[in-house]
Amino acid sequence: MLKELVEQSKLRRVKAALEAHRIPAVIVKDQKELYDYLRTVIKKEMLVCRGGSVTLDELGLVDHFDEIPLINHNLAHLSTVEKEACRRKGLDADVYLMSSSAITMQGEIYNMDGTGNRLAALLYGPKQVYIIAGKNKIVEDLEQAKTRMKEISAVQNCKRLQTNTPCVKTGVCMDCKSSGRICCDEVIIHWQMRADRIHVILIDQDLGY
Ligand code: SF4
């Protein structure tokens, strides 16, 4: 019970920190509350795309949300050409769904990518971006965000994708120079100029890497 109260307080403090940086944030309990919230912002005429994300997969946001198709370049049946077309569509989406490598208690959003399509969409293009993140993504500061990325997110994703990188075998980041390296581009959202573009949905659960 005490642990739950501490974690809820932490979620509220992160929400306040994000909003102090002009990034609207909501807290939801679970998938049902998330879907109820998304139904208020996603309409069927919208082009809705998503970035690569284990969090979204775990929440069932794979190829459809209700009856609305989700453009997802990670679907297994897509060819290389089709995957690239999906990534490009994402840059002009009405709504872009993604997760985050880490969100700091100071209200910053930290992400690292291999291809960079998700980071490009985060920075500019889609009219609205919704970052959906479990409470396990919350860290104290940017230093911890970078550590979390290297020690947890990147290594777990390399294992999942079976990249040709040493961390798949060793289980720790070797700061490799491999052609399969996925730790390529880094984006930190410190502040939002247009206060209604990027939104954060914090979920009171552990999700993804
Ligand atoms: S830098 Fe290389 S070894 Fe380190 S996590 Fe990224 S891909 Fe793995």
Side-chain angles (χ1 to χ4, degrees), residues 1-53:
M1 185 65 184
L2 180 62
K3 187 169 176 257
E4 277 172 31
L5 288 174
V6 169
E7 292 194 338
Q8 280 163 13
S9 155
K10 194 170 168 184
L11 284 167
R12 283 197 297 274
R13 283 186 289 135
V14 177
K15 171 176 155 59
L18 287 163
E19 288 174 344
H21 292 214
R22 291 168 58 89
I23 302 166
V26 294
I27 300 168
V28 298
K29 199 170 61 186
D30 52 21
Q31 185 200 42
K32 182 190 175 304
E33 286 193 6
L34 169 70
Y35 278 36
D36 287 346
Y37 177 77
L38 289 178
R39 284 185 188 110
T40 69
V41 294
I42 296 179
K43 308 296 171 201
K44 66 174 184 297
E45 65 277 8
M46 290 177 167
L47 176 64
V48 187
C49 299
R50 54 153 280 181
S53 164

Side-chain angles (χ1 to χ4, degrees), residues 150 154-155 158 165-167 173-176 181-183:
K150 281 296 171 104
V155 174
C158 284
T165 54
C167 55
C173 177
M174 312 292 285
D175 196 17
C176 71
R181 175 172 168 140
I182 66 165
C183 308

Side-chain angles (χ1 to χ4, degrees), residues 169-180:
K169 294 193 185 88
T170 63
V172 294
C173 177
M174 312 292 285
D175 196 17
C176 71
K177 301 208 168 24
S178 154
S179 60

Side-chain angles (χ1 to χ4, degrees), residues 73 75-85:
H73 71 276
L75 296 178
H77 67 272
L78 296 175
S79 68
T80 305
V81 171
E82 288 169 331
K83 284 178 190 225
E84 181 59 12

Side-chain angles (χ1 to χ4, degrees), residues 36-207:
D36 287 346
Y37 177 77
L38 289 178
R39 284 185 188 110
T40 69
V41 294
I42 296 179
K43 308 296 171 201
K44 66 174 184 297
E45 65 277 8
M46 290 177 167
L47 176 64
V48 187
C49 299
R50 54 153 280 181
S53 164
V54 173
T55 295
L56 297 190
D57 292 345
E58 288 175 354
L59 289 163
L61 294 164
V62 179
D63 56 359
H64 278 81
F65 170 65
D66 290 342
E67 300 302 308
I68 302 163
L70 294 180
I71 307 295
N72 176 4
H73 71 276
N74 272 326
L75 296 178
H77 67 272
L78 296 175
S79 68
T80 305
V81 171
E82 288 169 331
K83 284 178 190 225
E84 181 59 12
C86 288
R87 291 190 189 97
R88 289 182 181 277
K89 268 191 186 165
L91 302 178
D92 198 27
D94 295 303
V95 171
Y96 193 86
L97 305 176
M98 58 180 284
S99 191
S100 180
S101 310
I103 298 177
T104 77
M105 293 296 291
Q106 273 73 46
E108 296 127 332
I109 302 166
Y110 177 89
N111 277 84
M112 187 178 270
D113 262 12
T115 308
N117 61 295
R118 191 179 60 127
L119 298 184
L122 173 62
L123 285 173
Y124 191 82
K127 295 184 185 74
Q128 303 282 316
V129 176
Y130 289 86
I131 295 174
I132 301 169
K135 62 186 174 188
N136 51 319
K137 301 291 182 76
I138 299 170
V139 296
E140 197 52 45
D141 54 26
L142 285 172
E143 195 178 330
Q144 278 190 14
K146 292 180 186 199
T147 303
R148 183 179 195 286
M149 178 68 215
K150 281 296 171 104
E151 292 184 355
I152 301 173
S153 311
V155 174
Q156 293 302 322
N157 273 312
C158 284
K159 284 184 177 172
R160 176 176 64 89
L161 299 166
Q162 282 298 299
T163 52
N164 181 22
T165 54
C167 55
V168 172
K169 294 193 185 88
T170 63
V172 294
C173 177
M174 312 292 285
D175 196 17
C176 71
K177 301 208 168 24
S178 154
S179 60
R181 175 172 168 140
I182 66 165
C183 308
C184 305
D185 314 305
E186 193 177 46
V187 162
I188 299 164
I189 303 295
H190 293 275
W191 185 267
Q192 181 164 222
M193 186 173 273
R194 212 192 88 188
D196 62 347
R197 186 175 169 273
I198 300 172
H199 303 249
V200 175
I201 307 173
L202 298 162
I203 304 190
D204 191 5
Q205 288 178 344
D206 289 345
L207 290 158

